[in-house]
Amino acid sequence: MNAFDLHTPAMTVAIALLVGMVGQSLAYHLRMPGIVILLLFGVLLGPDGLNVVDPSVLGDGLRVLVGFAITVVLFEAGLNFDLGQFRAEMPAIRRLATIGALVTFASASLLAGPLLLQGTRSAVLVGALVIATGPGVILPLLRRIRVRRNLQMILEGEGVFVEGIGAIIALLVLHITFVGQDSPAHALAGVVTGVTAGIAGGSVMVLLLRWRRVVASGMEKAFALALAWATFVLGNAASADSGALAVLIAGMMATNSARETMRGVREQKDMLAPMIVSAFLVLIAAQSRVADMAAVGWRAAAL
């Protein structure tokens, strides 16, 4: 094997990690959300660009990396949702997470058919997929843009809540529209499993973090991420696609049942998680094919 072959799993991950951190640094200096730069870098370096990063060489390893990145994003979102801080803004957050989500779902579904030239089932699935706001996008924007404190709390809370609700609705719609007849019941069972696994994972996390003899000082954040990853994997093992909901619930439960314990975890800086998430965004963008994006370009923009 050529030692300088770029298309090996090790080289692909190394380049994605390096490019991811360069992209985050550039975004910081340009005062832009990191995701914008990372997606551009991914497309530029992907097979349809300079052909430096080819995610296909990772095989099943890409699923593992994606799973860890999802765990980090959702766990951080759950940790940041302290009900004590959001209590005053809960009526607005509830309306955005319920009525707002339904309006997005319905309007996007109705428009996706004629604009994207999709059948009814695909259009409904598109509507479900665009419900989630994404705390990974909202929170970096709020760190750059000065808004009133109450508006910031509303947007942060909506991002976390709608992320979970959007994932649940998308999963249900996928099973109802594209899978077998018993799939709605199976999807609902997955939701119950995700909530149960999240409560169990959050309880274990709080118990172990409170027990000072278990976790060395300064390692609480890394320990919590390891437990979150275990919750994600075990949730998926118990019921397919329930791990994401489980890790979100675990983070929310932990931060609201042990605020003093989890405050230190939230405040600790951890560079491993941002590095993995940055590499994940580069790899996901590199998977995108320019021809596919061009085919729905103006239609997607109109939607």
Side-chain angles (χ1 to χ4, degrees), residues 98-223:
T98 52
I99 300 172
L102 289 175
V103 169
T104 301
F105 180 31
S107 57
S109 298
L110 289 172
L111 291 171
L115 285 175
L116 300 182
L117 305 179
Q118 298 293 322
T120 302
R121 293 191 303 172
S122 296
V124 171
L125 182 58
V126 169
L129 289 171
V130 301
I131 289 176
T133 314
V137 177
I138 297 298
L139 298 183
L141 282 173
L142 291 175
R143 283 194 285 267
R144 306 273 184 211
I145 303 172
R146 290 176 178 265
V147 297
R148 288 180 300 168
R149 178 63 177 169
N150 67 321
L151 178 58
Q152 179 177 343
M153 299 301 289
I154 290 171
L155 293 175
E156 287 183 3
E158 187 260 359
V160 174
F161 258 109
V162 175
E163 184 77 5
I165 291 173
I168 293 170
I169 293 177
L171 180 62
L172 289 172
V173 169
L174 174 65
H175 281 271
I176 291 171
T177 55
F178 284 97
V179 194
Q181 294 182 349
D182 63 340
S183 57
H186 177 75
L188 288 173
V191 171
V192 173
T193 300
V195 172
T196 304
I199 293 174
S203 301
V204 172
M205 188 179 302
V206 171
L207 178 64
L208 293 179
L209 287 171
R210 279 178 171 171
W211 193 5
R212 296 299 181 185
R213 293 182 178 180
V214 174
V215 186
S217 178
M219 296 183 63
E220 291 87 355
K221 184 66 172 287
F223 192 83

Side-chain angles (χ1 to χ4, degrees), residues 185-302:
H186 177 75
L188 288 173
V191 171
V192 173
T193 300
V195 172
T196 304
I199 293 174
S203 301
V204 172
M205 188 179 302
V206 171
L207 178 64
L208 293 179
L209 287 171
R210 279 178 171 171
W211 193 5
R212 296 299 181 185
R213 293 182 178 180
V214 174
V215 186
S217 178
M219 296 183 63
E220 291 87 355
K221 184 66 172 287
F223 192 83
L225 280 174
L227 290 173
W229 173 242
T231 301
F232 177 83
V233 173
L234 292 174
N236 279 341
S239 180
D241 302 317
S242 65
L245 178 60
V247 78
L248 178 64
I249 295 294
M252 294 177 64
M253 180 184 173
T255 202
N256 286 286
S257 61
R259 289 175 182 164
E260 292 302 320
T261 301
M262 300 309 295
R263 181 178 292 117
V265 173
R266 292 198 303 267
E267 292 173 352
Q268 282 184 11
K269 298 299 181 183
D270 176 32
M271 291 310 300
L272 174 62
M275 186 168 63
I276 294 294
V277 172
S278 298
F280 150 73
L281 290 172
V282 172
L283 291 170
I284 290 299
Q287 278 193 310
S288 304
R289 307 315 297 255
V290 174
D292 294 335
M293 292 187 288
V296 294
W298 71 266
R299 296 186 179 95

